């Protein structure tokens, strides 16, 4: 595995672990999701640049556009959660807890 | 030059360790800013200056700014940094995990690993990745239309989610 491939693969795995093992805040989970998207952008760009396949340079751009949509939706969920539950702490999302 | 690439890749992984250890969102956003800056350096070192500029302007200057001021919703009097015991424990665990993966996967890392050849260097003022992105506007025109449609749809999704008043998407009944 080349160093760059190892770097962005482990960056992706770390972001995934940060999203899965979230602790207190909702927005930290959203930030780990953004870290996932960033590692995917770097991965696609490095694919384009290191393999000299310039045709696939549009892939990271489209990924960025859709990741902006996803970030906007996540932040809208954050706003809605803060408005109804008065905080974005994950322990407060306990309406279905028995 | 390849040493700088090593340093930048190391900074990338270490920055995401800092984000994934889930400190207070102020510090996580700062870590993400550092990661995207270092990622831009990685792209520039591989010859992709246009994609690096896109990352800086759109991702850092557009999306992360929104996250930075949305972190005000997580305001607390004593924000937990990277020195607090749970975050430090997670950071050490992640670094150890990456080290273990490195031991198993990091074979044959020599000087000749850095690929990247831009066929237009020295011939034209256009760089390779810039030319590649322009394909999105010519042959990939319908993909641009679909992307624009998705962005418009996301606007309405966000407006519906944050509507509030009596018919919002999330209600504490």
């Amino acid at each position: 595995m080349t160093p760059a491939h190892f770097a962005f693969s482990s960056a992706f795995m770390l972001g995934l672990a940060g999203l899965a093992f979230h602790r207190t805040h909702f927005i930290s989970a959203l930030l780990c999701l953004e870290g996932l998207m960033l590692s995917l952008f770097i991965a696609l760009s490095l694919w384009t640049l290191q393999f000299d396949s310039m045709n696939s340079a549009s892939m990271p751009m489209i990924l960025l556009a859709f990741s902006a949509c996803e970030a906007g939706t996540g932040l809208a969920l954050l706003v809605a959660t803060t408005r109804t539950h008065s905080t974005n702490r994950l322990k407060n999302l306990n309406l279905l807890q028995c | 030059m390849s040493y700088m690439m090593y340093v930048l890749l190391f900074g990338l992984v270490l920055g995401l360790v800092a984000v994934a250890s889930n400190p207070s969102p102020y510090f996580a956003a700062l870590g993400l800013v550092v990661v995207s800056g270092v990622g831009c350096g990685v792209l520039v070192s591989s010859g992709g200056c246009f994609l690096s500029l896109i990352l800086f302007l759109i991702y850092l200057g557009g999306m992360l700014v929104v996250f930075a001021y949305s972190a005000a919703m997580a305001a607390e009097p004593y924000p937990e940094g990277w020195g607090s015991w749970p975050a430090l424990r997670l950071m050490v665990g992640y670094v150890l995990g990456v080290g273990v993966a490195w031991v198993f996967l990091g074979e044959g890392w020599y000087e000749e690993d850095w690929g990247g050849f831009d066929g237009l260097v020295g011939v034209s003022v256009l760089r390779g990745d810039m030319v590649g992105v322009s394909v999105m506007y010519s042959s990939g025109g319908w993909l641009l239309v679909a992307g624009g449609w998705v962005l418009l749809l996301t606007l309405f999704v966000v407006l519906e989610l944050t509507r509030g008043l009596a018919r919002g998407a999330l209600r504490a009944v």
Side-chain angles (χ1 to χ4, degrees):
Chain A
M1 194 180 253
T2 62
H5 187 190
F6 176 76
F8 63 70
S9 299
S10 57
F12 185 84
M13 286 298 166
L14 284 170
L16 193 60
L19 178 62
F21 304 136
H22 51 76
R23 294 198 299 122
T24 35
H25 290 281
F26 185 25
I27 196 174
S28 329
L30 289 179
L31 283 167
C32 286
L33 202 60
E34 283 309 301
L36 281 182
M37 288 296 141
L38 178 61
S39 71
L40 282 177
F41 182 90
I42 291 176
L44 286 176
S45 305
L46 280 178
W47 183 342
T48 304
L49 297 165
Q50 289 193 347
F51 294 152
D52 198 29
S53 86
M54 290 312 160
N55 256 335
S56 53
S58 51
M59 276 201 297
M61 304 278 291
I62 300 294
L63 173 77
L64 204 61
F66 291 158
S67 125
C69 297
E70 169 211 329
T73 308
L75 285 175
L77 283 170
L78 172 76
V79 163
T81 310
T82 308
R83 188 184 286 166
T84 56
H85 294 267
S86 82
T87 175
N88 74 334
R89 284 183 172 259
L90 293 161
K91 277 192 190 293
N92 248 24
L93 302 173
N94 58 357
L95 285 179
L96 295 175
Q97 195 174 14
C98 56
Chain B
M1 206 58 192
S2 62
Y3 182 68
M4 188 172 87
M5 188 71 157
Y6 267 115
V7 169
L8 290 172
L9 290 175
F10 188 72
L12 184 76
V13 175
L14 210 60
L16 263 178
V17 164
V19 172
S21 61
N22 282 329
S24 173
Y26 302 122
F27 298 107
L30 180 67
L32 211 52
V33 165
V34 166
V35 170
S36 53
V38 166
C40 284
V42 168
L43 293 185
V44 164
S45 301
S46 302
C49 47
F50 180 70
L51 287 171
S52 158
L53 197 65
I54 288 289
L55 186 64
F56 249 130
L57 286 175
I58 310 299
Y59 189 85
L60 199 74
M63 288 159 60
L64 276 190
V65 161
V66 177
F67 270 96
Y69 65 70
S70 297
M73 281 188 237
E76 44 193 13
Y78 300 106
E80 192 179 78
W82 291 299
S84 72
W85 180 232
L88 197 61
R89 193 176 54 193
L90 275 174
M91 272 183 81
V92 167
Y94 288 146
V95 167
L96 284 177
V98 169
V100 163
W102 181 36
V103 162
F104 281 115
L105 297 168
E107 300 199 12
W109 284 10
Y110 305 124
E111 283 281 318
E112 299 86 18
D113 275 342
W114 311 112
F117 167 74
D118 199 349
L120 289 173
V121 168
V123 173
S124 146
V125 77
L126 300 169
R127 303 291 303 215
D129 56 343
M130 219 189 300
V131 171
V133 169
S134 68
V135 169
M136 191 173 65
Y137 290 95
S138 70
S139 308
W142 286 111
L143 188 59
L144 273 186
V145 170
W149 187 257
V150 165
L151 284 165
L152 184 66
L153 185 68
T154 307
L155 175 67
F156 288 118
V157 163
V158 166
L159 284 175
E160 271 302 314
L161 277 176
T162 55
R163 185 202 282 255
L165 200 51
R167 290 161 43 202
L170 289 175
R171 285 279 122 192
V173 174

